């Protein structure tokens, strides 16, 4: 069975701090995709990144970076120098190669205080 | 270009009543998905349409839920009769290809009293 676990329910940081959101996944498939979505107060889920299981290169996009490690089945997300606008619920998700269905974790609520 | 839209944004009904949620996908997106998040838990998949056909409905909780996508455009999700445990946020998403990026709507918050 496939599963995504985001152990951190809520995180609170002060602006400019770095913060890492953890994501651990379970699957027996060798081909799969991992995602991060952001849900701001407006409600819609905003796509942040997609990685496939064959590409373990870390990725950096501005203040955002992602660390994918197959050895530990983890796909962690780091925000550097956090800002108040980063406050949102962040979801990690898994998709197998033969389906469009996304399997989500429980989400991590990030609060960045000024 | 308009994103995925959902109506209503919020619905409050009593147990036993019927509610119909609507989703308008991005124009040209053949794939349409319904998901649900119940009270702080994970977002769970309900079903997947490819055009007007149900590709995967493995996540539908029971036969009180009926999803349709007539003509392969907008979709409706009817809950009849609603139960207390149906409360949650219902998300719709669409994508061009099955393996394409899914664009989500803002969700419909359903409260069953």
């Amino acid at each position: 069975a496939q599963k995504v676990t985001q152990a951190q329910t809520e995180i609170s940081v002060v602006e400019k701090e770095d913060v890492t959101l953890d994501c651990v996944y379970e699957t027996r498939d060798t081909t799969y995709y991992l995602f991060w979505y952001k849900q701001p107060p407006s409600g819609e889920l905003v796509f942040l990144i997609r990685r496939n299981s064959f590409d373990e290169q870390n990725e950096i996009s501005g203040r955002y970076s992602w660390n994918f490690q197959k050895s530990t089945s983890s796909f962690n997300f780091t925000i550097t120098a956090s800002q108040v606008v980063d406050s949102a619920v962040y979801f990690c998700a898994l998709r197998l190669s033969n389906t469009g269905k996304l399997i989500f974790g429980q989400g991590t609520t990030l609060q960045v205080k000024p | 270009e308009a994103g995925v839209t959902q109506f209503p944004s919020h619905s409050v009904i009593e147990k036993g009543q019927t509610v119909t949620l609507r989703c308008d996908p991005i124009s040209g997106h053949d794939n349409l998905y319904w998901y649900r998040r119940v009270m702080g838990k994970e977002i769970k998949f309900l079903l997947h349409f490819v055009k007007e056909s149900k590709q995967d409905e493995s996540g539908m909780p029971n036969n009180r839920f009926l999803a349709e996508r007539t003509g392969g455009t907008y979709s409706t999700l009817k809950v009849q009769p609603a139960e207390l445990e149906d409360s949650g946020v219902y998300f719709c998403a669409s994508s061009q290809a099955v393996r394409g990026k899914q664009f989500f709507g803002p969700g419909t918050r359903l409260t069953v009293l």
Side-chain angles (χ1 to χ4, degrees):
Chain A
Q2 293 77 38
K3 185 179 179 181
V4 176
T5 301
Q6 294 178 255
Q8 304 150 309
T9 306
E10 292 183 18
I11 301 176
S12 181
V13 299
V14 176
E15 207 169 20
K16 296 184 184 176
E17 284 185 12
D18 297 347
V19 59
T20 295
L21 309 182
D22 297 332
C23 173
V24 174
Y25 63 92
E26 296 174 30
T27 180
R28 291 182 180 174
D29 284 44
T30 56
T31 304
Y32 51 88
Y33 297 84
L34 296 165
F35 301 79
W36 276 94
Y37 280 86
K38 174 183 180 180
Q39 185 186 28
S42 53
E44 80 280 10
L45 291 166
V46 178
F47 169 86
L48 295 178
I49 189 171
R50 177 180 67 184
R51 302 295 280 175
N52 73 57
S53 52
F54 298 107
D55 184 0
E56 284 192 75
Q57 276 195 344
N58 291 332
E59 182 157 338
I60 298 174
S61 176
R63 295 184 297 107
Y64 294 173
S65 63
W66 291 271
N67 182 278
F68 175 27
Q69 292 195 341
K70 286 179 77 170
S71 60
T72 55
S73 297
S74 65
F75 186 44
N76 296 337
F77 173 31
T78 298
I79 302 175
T80 303
S82 60
Q83 299 176 1
V84 173
V85 293
D86 295 327
S87 297
V89 183
Y90 291 86
F91 292 94
C92 180
L94 165 72
R95 180 172 67 74
L96 302 183
S97 63
N98 61 349
T99 176
K101 174 171 72 176
L102 291 171
I103 300 161
F104 285 90
Q106 291 178 302
T108 297
T109 300
L110 174 64
Q111 184 182 38
V112 182
K113 298 178 182 176
Chain B
E1 181 183 350
V4 177
T5 57
Q6 293 187 244
F7 183 82
S9 57
H10 194 177
S11 179
V12 181
I13 61 173
E14 293 193 351
K15 176 182 171 180
Q17 289 186 323
T18 297
V19 63
T20 300
L21 313 181
R22 173 170 170 146
C23 168
D24 285 79
I26 293 173
S27 178
H29 282 194
D30 288 339
N31 295 272
L32 187 150
Y33 304 82
W34 283 99
Y35 294 86
R36 175 174 76 169
R37 188 183 192 208
V38 173
M39 270 309 271
K41 299 201 170 186
E42 71 271 26
I43 299 171
K44 281 195 171 180
F45 167 83
L46 296 179
L47 88 159
H48 169 204
F49 282 101
V50 177
K51 297 184 180 178
E52 65 275 10
S53 300
K54 292 175 185 174
Q55 179 78 9
D56 180 356
E57 50 184 329
S58 61
M60 293 289 264
N62 52 60
N63 59 10
R64 295 185 294 104
F65 289 74
L66 174 64
E68 295 181 324
R69 192 182 182 195
T70 307
T73 54
Y74 70 90
S75 174
T76 58
L77 180 65
K78 181 191 287 188
V79 185
Q80 179 183 30
E83 297 289 343
L84 299 179
E85 64 264 26
D86 299 332
S87 295
V89 180
Y90 289 77
F91 291 100
C92 176
S94 71
S95 67
Q96 238 175 358
V98 172
R99 299 187 180 97
K101 185 168 72 174
Q102 293 182 25
F103 294 85
F104 281 79
T108 293
R109 181 174 295 277
L110 174 64
T111 303
V112 182
L113 302 175

